[in-house]
Amino acid sequence: FVFESLAPEARGAAWPLVHSERRGAVLLEMSDAVRRSLIGRMRAEEVAAVVQTLDSDEIADLVNSLPDEQRQAVLDQVDRADQAEVHAVLSFPEDSVGAMMDLDFVAVREDATLEAVHRLLRRKKPLPAHTNELIVVDRNTTLRGVLPLDRLLFEEPETEVGAVMLMQPTYFFTDDLDR
């Protein structure tokens, strides 16, 4: 909001004052017009450095507002794993669930014990932002349910995930429209 209330010349002067690790998040909060005006002054390498702190879905949101030429130049600078995920998100229509989905999640098997899940999470830290449940899958990685974190914390460690998971999770298909 602060950047949007500044005159365009003042934005350019204020931008270097934003800590480099926060620039990606700040850009995401700006309107498209303000974002484009700031990014328009940056080289592709600078934009790529800014997006390095973002998750793949956030990178997709940011580069989606860039002109095609600049978008590709920025994506060429991003690491290969993020590139593949960003391309996957960008392949969906803008108002679809696929374009809005968060690719950062934790999946656990239904036959694992809660104690094993605790060990997995301690090794994986930190958890993806806004995680309040884990995806539960079977041996074939088919969705079976979700494990709320409160159940993980308060049930007995030797209990299997399948015994305490919620078996009817809400889910969407990637081509569903945002409504």
Side-chain angles (χ1 to χ4, degrees):
F1 177 74
V2 172
F3 273 92
E4 292 179 355
S5 64
L6 296 174
E9 310 81 44
R11 287 182 199 137
W15 182 245
L17 301 175
V18 176
H19 192 278
S20 61
E21 291 182 7
R22 298 188 190 277
R23 288 182 179 170
V26 170
L27 282 173
L28 284 172
E29 296 301 318
M30 294 178 185
S31 68
D32 284 346
V34 173
R35 181 182 316 125
R36 272 193 231 104
S37 73
L38 275 175
I39 290 177
R41 300 176 186 174
M42 301 167 69
R43 294 184 328 274
E45 302 81 38
E46 292 175 293
V47 179
V50 166
V51 301
Q52 293 297 337
T53 61
L54 302 176
D55 292 331
S56 302
D57 55 315
E58 294 171 324
I59 295 171
D61 287 344
L62 191 78
V63 300
N64 201 30
S65 66
L66 301 176
D68 290 341
E69 188 175 295
Q70 192 177 17
R71 177 185 310 139
Q72 193 54 51
V74 170
L75 289 176
D76 288 344
Q77 302 286 322
V78 174
D79 72 54
R80 296 281 181 225
D82 281 340
Q83 255 184 28
E85 289 183 355
V86 169
H87 282 295
V89 172
L90 291 175
S91 70
F92 295 103
E94 190 173 327
D95 292 334
S96 70
V97 170
M100 293 182 283
M101 68 184 167
D102 188 349
L103 300 174
D104 201 10
F105 63 91
V106 178
V108 297
R109 295 247 314 263
E110 65 183 333
D111 58 353
T113 64
L114 297 181
E115 182 178 19
V117 174
H118 278 239
R119 284 194 307 271
L120 168 75
L121 295 180
R122 280 193 291 274
R123 285 193 312 267
K124 182 167 177 47
K125 65 185 162 185
L127 282 175
H130 311 294
T131 300
N132 58 3
E133 57 191 18
L134 308 177
I135 306 298
V136 181
V137 297
D138 63 17
R139 290 183 185 273
N140 299 317
T141 65
T142 303
L143 177 65
R144 303 294 296 154
V146 293
L147 176 62
L149 291 182
D150 62 337
R151 292 188 183 192
L152 172 65
L153 293 173
F154 299 119
E155 297 291 338
E156 294 298 321
E158 61 277 353
T159 306
E160 284 194 356
V161 169
V164 295
M165 70 180 185
L166 301 177
M167 296 178 69
Q168 295 184 345
T170 301
Y171 62 92
F172 303 92
F173 295 98
T174 55
D175 58 349
D176 289 346
L177 296 180
D178 173 30
R179 294 182 190 196

